[in-house]
Amino acid sequence: MQINHLKTFAMAAKTLNFTKTAQLLDYAQSSVTAQIKALEKEYDTELFQRLGKRIYLTEAGVKMEQYAKRILTIHDEMEQEFSESTEEKGTILIGACESQCIYRLPALLHFIRDHYPQVQVILKPVQSSKNAEKMLQEGELDLAFIMDQNQHYDLLKSVALFQEEIVLVGAPSHPLSARPSVGLDEVVQHPLILTEKDCAYRAELERAMQEKNLHAENIIEFGSIEAIKQCVTAGMGLSYLPLMTVEKELQKEELSFVKLEMQLSQPTTRLLWHKNKRITKVMQDVIDFSIKYVG
């Protein structure tokens, strides 16, 4: 098996279009077809099937794609290991949710830029710890910042950075904002404007509601915290968000705390990486910097 054949297959599996694959890899389309056929002949299996004008991965193709990702990740690491001066070049892939990208990571990004000016940083959105775990295992990320409730990861290493504080907020004019404390049964009677379902702190709020056999009458879901804050400020409902994302609005009295009578479990922000991943100098420095300064 030639590594170039595997790279071509991986790109074709991603695009599901041989013409586009040829353009992206700067090959003739006939070369792409020949490389795919060579792989199919070597493993005596069909990797793609054509239905009408479109192509799809076969069951064997899906399995081959998983192996290809792992092999190509190891191949890239090997090239880095034996290339000159690669520790201060190349790319680092960091996953994080929106709130961390905006409020936690700017200092880290400045650190990488100042100490590794030739390293390209790619930030990828990570909506949940499950999403991060999958991306780390498949080599799509080098490091991931996530919030979780003390989960265990079989194939990953993790370091706890700090415990987040998640708060219930509403517009100053909201009827619950003037109360010294409120019950969860009162909260669910008002519209809730929440992050996506896989979010760790939303999951904890919904777990608490389920324990009390409560059901929110109206949930509005957004993928953007900034959009959520705008809606809450406009008086459209309550939201449950990390304190770091609403501190400015609380100081300016654009938002108000809504104090819950019960204490909800608070998530921990962690830094994750694959336990079999070769730790480059830039990765180790990012880990060390995060432990000391992120938060």
Side-chain angles (χ1 to χ4, degrees):
M1 176 185 64
Q2 296 185 32
I3 199 71
N4 285 342
H5 290 181
L6 209 56
K7 289 180 179 179
T8 299
F9 166 75
M11 182 61 73
K14 182 178 180 180
T15 64
L16 294 177
N17 186 307
F18 284 6
T19 301
K20 188 173 182 180
T21 297
Q23 293 171 347
L24 291 171
L25 297 178
D26 197 22
Y27 287 152
Q29 185 172 337
S30 58
S31 179
V32 171
T33 303
Q35 291 183 49
I36 298 300
K37 286 184 176 179
L39 270 178
E40 291 179 327
K41 182 178 180 181
E42 182 172 357
Y43 292 97
D44 192 26
T45 188
E46 188 179 23
L47 300 175
F48 294 93
Q49 61 180 345
R50 184 175 292 277
L51 296 175
K53 295 183 178 180
R54 301 186 64 183
I55 62 171
Y56 299 86
L57 285 170
T58 63
E59 185 177 347
V62 172
K63 292 179 180 178
M64 176 70 78
E65 183 183 21
Q66 295 171 355
Y67 283 114
K69 286 180 178 179
R70 289 157 60 184
I71 292 170
L72 290 173
T73 296
I74 293 171
H75 178 264
D76 290 344
E77 291 178 3
M78 184 175 68
E79 283 192 331
Q80 289 184 7
E81 180 71 35
F82 295 105
S83 296
E84 293 183 3
S85 304
T86 55
E87 294 290 11
E88 297 183 8
K89 296 180 182 178
T91 301
I92 184 168
L93 304 169
I94 300 175
C97 67
E98 178 196 11
S99 60
Q100 292 160 336
C101 287
I102 296 174
Y103 298 97
R104 299 288 191 198
L105 299 190
L108 174 61
L109 298 180
H110 278 293
F111 169 79
I112 298 173
R113 184 191 63 187
D114 292 344
H115 290 79
Y116 297 95
Q118 297 186 70
V119 170
Q120 180 186 9
V121 181
I122 297 179
L123 283 179
K124 291 191 174 185
V126 171
Q127 303 303 331
S128 69
S129 57
K130 287 184 179 179
N131 184 220
E133 185 175 16
K134 180 175 181 292
M135 294 174 76
L136 287 165
Q137 289 178 359
E138 294 183 353
E140 296 177 21
L141 292 176
D142 295 315
L143 299 165
F145 292 86
I146 58 96
M147 294 184 195
D148 70 9
Q149 297 285 352
N150 298 316
Q151 291 175 225
H152 173 72
Y153 305 94
D154 291 332
L155 298 177
L156 305 181
K157 288 187 177 181
S158 73
V159 58
L161 299 179
F162 46 83
Q163 190 174 57
E164 293 287 354
E165 184 176 357
I166 315 298
V167 295
L168 189 67
V169 293
S173 58
H174 194 281
L176 297 186
S177 293
R179 301 272 298 279
S181 64
V182 298
L184 201 54
D185 57 331
E186 297 174 280
V187 170
V188 297
Q189 296 174 27
H190 297 267
L192 295 177
I193 308 172
L194 302 176
T195 48
E196 294 169 314
K197 284 190 175 181
D198 287 337
C199 174
Y201 47 88
R202 172 177 171 173
E204 177 58 25
L205 176 64
E206 292 181 329
R207 185 198 63 76
M209 290 163 51
Q210 188 175 15
E211 279 189 354
K212 291 183 171 293
N213 199 27
L214 297 173
H215 178 73
E217 295 182 1
N218 186 3
I219 291 181
I220 304 169
E221 184 176 303
F222 281 103
S224 166
I225 288 178
E226 295 305 311
I228 291 173
K229 291 195 294 184
Q230 290 295 322
C231 292
V232 176
T233 301
M236 293 175 59
L238 303 170
S239 190
Y240 190 59
L241 294 171
L243 177 60
M244 63 178 172
T245 67
V246 293
E247 280 185 309
K248 289 184 179 179
E249 289 79 8
L250 289 168
Q251 290 171 1
K252 294 178 181 178
E253 297 185 350
E254 296 170 351
L255 292 175
S256 295
F257 285 112
V258 177
K259 183 174 175 55
L260 283 171
E261 292 175 352
M262 67 178 298
Q263 179 67 43
L264 299 185
S265 177
Q266 303 290 278
T268 299
T269 285
R270 300 178 188 278
L271 180 57
L272 305 179
W273 64 94
H274 199 289
K275 68 178 184 180
N276 294 328
K277 180 81 173 177
R278 185 180 73 89
I279 304 298
T280 63
K281 186 175 186 301
V282 62
M283 283 180 62
Q284 187 60 59
D285 283 352
V286 167
I287 293 169
D288 293 341
F289 180 90
S290 301
I291 292 171
K292 291 181 181 178
Y293 300 111
V294 174

